[in-house]
Amino acid sequence: MKQKIAALFHQVHGRAPTFITRAPGRIEFIGNHTDYNGGTVLGASIDRDVWVAVAPRTDGLRRFYSDYSGKVVELSAAVIEKQTGEASWINYPLGVLAALLVFKLQAPQGFDYVAVSDLPTGAGLSSSAAIELASGLAFLALTEQHPDRETLVKIGKHAENHFVGVPCGILDQGVSGFGKKDHLVFIDCKGPHFDTVPLPGSANFWIFNTHTKHALVDGLYAARHRECMEAAKALGVGLLVEATSAQVEAAKTVLSGNAYKRAKHVVDEIARVDEAVAVLKTGELDKVGHLLTASHRSSQHLFENSTPELDFLVDRLAATLNVHGARLTGGGFGGAVMALTSPAFGDAQAQAVAADYAAKFGARPDILHMKTGDGAERV
Ligand code: ADP
Ligand code: MG
């Protein structure tokens, strides 16, 4: 990939890049809708990345190119305005440039820029965080600034929340920034605090992306967020992370049916994240897998953010040899299922799952196989 991006940079900009960076996508491993409740989450940085190459210009122009769009977009360094239409992908690097200033750092003036990627976009693997972090590292290299990793992560999140306008939590950028091969990233969202937890090298990930999306997904997210906050209030805590399982059970008759279910999901899910961290120390992936599937059941029955498509895949995978566990990954209401498998699970088994899915739902899910990979870095 390094040769590929250097060659492309030469083709587009007629010279060699000065700096090359990369940042990986991520999988939500366990911890569903725990982030905005102040809870914990485990994520995996994957071995697919967005790569960015840059070189400084002295004329105050910024020239952006990506294999994603195939066209150069040229802007004066004086302009940091949200783009629409074909050029809208540059809102990610532009958002990072704007965020650098918010964090009292310098933004580079003119530069040539190229992004290439082997990370599918819009597949729930957070290519957006990857392009933010790879861009952030490239801009910091151009300006010879060295803030800590947590600042880089926060710059990426700020760009996405405030410039692009997507209210994502800290998981996406945190895992892309703090990821490590053969590890998971543990995030305590309240700090936030970041840590890594070893993951046996035999762990394999398979993603089945259904490309289904509930028509009301934005409204449903907002409704779940509101229900969680209302449940916390009824329980007399600021955020659900502060409630115990016993407290939730004791309040079962006073809470509305939905408030009870949402609170139980969040409190149990946070406990499952802690349990997963403990079990990972023993390296028993089957036990970790059971927690993943239990997480899905909780999403299905308590948080009610699953769909028949996702449930079908989890049922089918959980009953398949060499699969440790499976769950919906990401916000839910459609999207993708992740399976944690041993190396013995291969393409033939994955294709059989996809065929069964297609027989029932009429379309094949996309299949992606990956392992863990290192977090964002200058290459
Ligand atoms: P996800 O983060 O799940 O992949 P998003 O919709 O949040 O999906 O982000 C995808 C968007 O990020 C793309 O539509 C594009 O604008 C931008 N993006 C991601 N990767 C690249 C890339 N390599 N080049 C240019 N833009 C990219
Ligand atoms: Mg995204």
Side-chain angles (χ1 to χ4, degrees):
M1 207 62 153
K2 196 175 175 183
Q3 276 80 23
K4 181 182 164 185
I5 195 169
L8 184 62
F9 195 96
H10 210 279
Q11 200 182 311
V12 174
H13 297 299
R15 60 190 178 129
T18 315
F19 300 108
I20 297 178
T21 62
R22 50 154 279 274
R26 65 97 189 95
I27 298 172
E28 178 194 286
F29 186 78
I30 191 167
N32 198 241
H33 286 262
T34 52
D35 54 354
Y36 54 83
N37 289 297
T40 51
V41 58
L42 279 168
S45 54
I46 57 176
D47 53 2
R48 288 168 183 248
D49 308 272
V50 173
W51 291 64
V52 167
V54 289
R57 293 178 66 93
T58 51
D59 60 1
L61 288 178
R62 292 168 174 163
R63 303 184 80 237
F64 297 92
Y65 179 90
S66 167
D67 62 354
Y68 175 84
S69 79
K71 258 190 202 155
V72 173
V73 184
E74 188 175 289
L75 284 181
S76 151
V79 177
I80 300 194
E81 272 164 22
K82 201 165 165 180
Q83 307 290 305
T84 53
E86 259 194 342
S88 60
W89 72 269
I90 70 163
N91 288 328
Y92 294 89
L94 279 183
V96 170
L97 291 164
L100 283 166
L101 305 177
V102 174
F103 283 76
K104 305 262 182 292
L105 290 159
Q106 222 186 310
Q109 293 301 305
F111 55 78
D112 288 331
Y113 173 110
V114 165
V116 300
S117 171
D118 60 0
L119 185 60
T121 59
L125 298 173
S126 208
S127 68
S128 57
I131 192 171
E132 286 151 12
L133 266 70
S135 300
L137 278 179
F139 299 153
L140 290 167
L142 281 173
T143 47
E144 294 178 32
Q145 299 175 101
H146 307 280
D148 59 19
R149 196 143 282 266
E150 188 169 330
T151 304
L152 173 70
V153 163
K154 287 181 174 168
I155 286 169
K157 180 171 185 283
H158 194 278
E160 182 127 3
N161 293 163
H162 300 285
F163 197 87
V164 180
V166 176
C168 64
I170 192 70
L171 174 76
D172 301 357
Q173 292 81 12
V175 175
S176 186
F178 282 90
K180 202 167 151 189
K181 185 170 160 40
D182 294 330
H183 286 73
L184 295 174
V185 178
F186 172 84
I187 306 178
D188 182 342
C189 302
K190 217 173 171 187
H193 298 293
F194 304 92
D195 208 350
T196 55
V197 183
L199 179 74
S202 63
N204 279 259
F205 295 101
W206 291 80
I207 296 282
F208 296 83
N209 185 4
T210 67
H211 291 284
T212 55
K213 188 177 170 189
H214 201 292
L216 304 172
V217 64
D218 291 341
L220 288 165
Y221 276 25
R224 289 298 177 278
H225 188 282
R226 193 179 58 243
E227 288 165 348
C228 287
M229 298 308 145
E230 282 166 6
K233 199 167 172 206
L235 288 163
V237 294
L239 290 170
L240 282 177
V241 67
E242 295 153 32
T244 64
S245 174
Q247 250 175 305
V248 175
E249 289 312 316
K252 187 169 178 178
T253 50
V254 263
L255 292 174
S256 73
N258 275 351
Y260 168 76
K261 286 197 275 185
R262 310 308 183 229
K264 183 167 168 55
H265 166 81
V266 171
V267 171
D268 289 355
E269 185 76 351
I270 293 169
R272 271 188 293 271
V273 174
D274 290 343
E275 212 179 325
V277 171
V279 175
L280 279 164
K281 295 204 171 103
T282 70
E284 292 169 275
L285 287 183
D286 261 330
K287 282 194 184 162
V288 177
H290 288 146
L291 292 169
L292 299 183
T293 307
S295 162
H296 183 82
R297 297 305 174 206
S298 181
S299 291
Q300 183 178 354
H301 301 298
L302 295 174
F303 211 69
E304 298 178 293
N305 61 332
S306 188
T307 61
E309 288 87 351
L310 302 177
D311 295 339
F312 176 87
L313 284 170
V314 170
D315 292 346
R316 175 67 172 77
L317 284 159
T320 300
L321 201 64
N322 301 314
V323 175
H324 298 302
R327 61 183 289 272
L328 69 83
T329 180
F333 306 111
V337 160
M338 174 271 279
L340 175 68
T341 78
S342 77
F345 184 90
D347 201 51
Q349 285 96 323
Q351 293 299 344
V353 172
D356 286 357
Y357 178 92
K360 188 164 166 65
F361 295 103
R364 272 179 105 80
D366 280 349
I367 300 171
L368 294 162
H369 175 211
M370 56 206 76
K371 299 200 56 155
T372 56
D374 282 324
E377 63 181 356
R378 196 198 286 185
V379 188

